[in-house]
């Protein structure tokens, strides 16, 4: 019964979220995926903003989640379609801003594992290894990972074991199944 309800909820989810503040005349597209860690708290009362930084240009600040929305949840993988006027060049970093309402009684922190940015026009992909806790009212800049950073034993072992547990383990996979793995 419970699993059927979860299946119905994941079927209604889109595979990506088009950011609401994309300008219709901007045609250069980036596909940004955020991998959140498993933490007890979510940034539900936070406004999450993201800005792509390229070698030739800096993108606009885009709102990924407004305060009160429930888009970024623990252990979730969420993808966003972001448009810019023209190419930013090679993406060299991502700036993430978190603005939280100050009426909260206790601090809300959430874990961000990594960000993947795909340039849909030239089909290039870059990885941003965050692995940090995001506090309320924080402004953080993350650099794109180099080839050497991505291929350390620690990173390869961690990514492989996380994916194996999420995809193959009977009980873990029930709670962490991604929406595109439903078939």
């Amino acid at each position: 019964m419970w699993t059927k309800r979860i299946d119905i909820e994941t079927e209604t989810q889109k595979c990506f979220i088009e950011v609401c503040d994309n300008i219709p005349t901007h045609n250069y597209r980036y596909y940004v995926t955020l991998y959140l860690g498993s933490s007890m708290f979510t940034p539900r009362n936070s406004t999450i903003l993201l800005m792509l930084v390229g070698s030739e240009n800096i993108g606009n600040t885009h709102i990924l989640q407004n305060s009160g929305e429930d888009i970024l949840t623990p252990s979730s993988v969420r993808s966003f379609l972001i448009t810019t006027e023209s190419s930013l060049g090679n993406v060299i970093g991502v700036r993430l801003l978190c603005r939280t309402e100050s009426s909260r009684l206790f601090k809300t922190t959430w874990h961000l594992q990594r960000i993947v940015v795909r340039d849909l026009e030239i089909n290039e992909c870059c990885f941003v290894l965050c692995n940090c806790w995001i506090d309320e009212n924080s402004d953080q800049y993350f650099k794109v990972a180099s080839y050497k950073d991505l291929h350390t034993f620690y990173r390869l072992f961690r990514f492989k074991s996380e994916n194996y547990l999420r995809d193959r383990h009977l009980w873990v996979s029930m709670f962490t199944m991604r929406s595109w793995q439903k078939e």
Side-chain angles (χ1 to χ4, degrees):
M1 189 73 159
W2 174 80
T3 55
K4 181 66 175 169
R5 184 177 55 84
I6 297 296
D7 287 346
I8 292 169
E9 286 177 11
T10 55
E11 283 176 5
T12 60
Q13 289 180 353
K14 297 179 183 176
C15 56
F16 70 90
I17 299 166
E18 189 166 353
V19 178
C20 62
D21 58 354
N22 279 340
I23 300 171
T25 58
H26 290 181
N27 295 325
Y28 207 89
R29 301 169 301 151
Y30 291 93
Y31 191 74
V32 179
T33 305
L34 274 69
Y35 292 80
L36 272 68
S38 53
S39 62
M40 290 178 52
F41 302 107
T42 61
R44 183 171 171 76
N45 292 331
S46 301
T47 301
I48 310 298
L49 306 159
L50 183 124
M51 179 191 307
L52 296 176
V53 179
S55 58
E56 297 174 13
N57 207 349
I58 296 175
N60 295 333
T61 304
H62 293 279
I63 299 172
L64 301 183
Q65 172 179 300
N66 283 313
S67 180
E69 292 180 338
D70 202 14
I71 296 173
L72 300 175
T73 57
S75 300
S76 65
V77 178
R78 295 288 185 256
S79 298
F80 302 90
L81 182 65
I82 293 177
T83 60
T84 59
E85 187 175 11
S86 62
S87 173
L88 303 176
N90 292 330
V91 176
I92 58 172
V94 174
R95 184 175 174 201
L96 189 76
L97 296 95
C98 179
R99 300 290 176 248
T100 305
E101 297 174 3
S102 59
S103 63
R104 300 277 304 177
L105 295 174
F106 48 90
K107 285 185 132 182
T108 302
T109 59
W110 49 283
H111 189 256
L112 180 63
Q113 288 182 343
R114 61 190 176 270
I115 302 171
V116 178
V117 180
R118 179 176 295 279
D119 185 336
L120 293 177
E121 306 304 322
I122 59 173
N123 202 23
E124 281 188 2
C125 192
C126 61
F127 297 89
V128 180
L129 303 174
C130 307
N131 199 23
C132 69
W133 291 90
I134 308 292
D135 289 331
E136 53 189 38
N137 300 323
S138 67
D139 180 359
Q140 297 199 5
Y141 178 77
F142 302 104
K143 292 182 180 179
V144 170
S146 67
Y147 181 83
K148 185 178 177 182
D149 293 336
L150 291 172
H151 289 86
T152 62
F153 174 76
Y154 168 74
R155 298 264 187 235
L156 292 173
F157 179 74
R158 182 172 176 194
F159 292 157
K160 199 72 164 169
S161 59
E162 282 176 5
N163 287 336
Y164 181 80
L165 281 174
R166 192 178 291 128
D167 297 341
R168 308 274 172 139
H169 191 276
L170 177 65
W171 293 106
V172 174
S173 65
M174 281 178 52
F175 297 106
T176 61
M177 184 176 281
R178 300 171 184 140
S179 58
W180 63 82
Q181 294 174 325
K182 301 298 292 173
E183 291 123 23

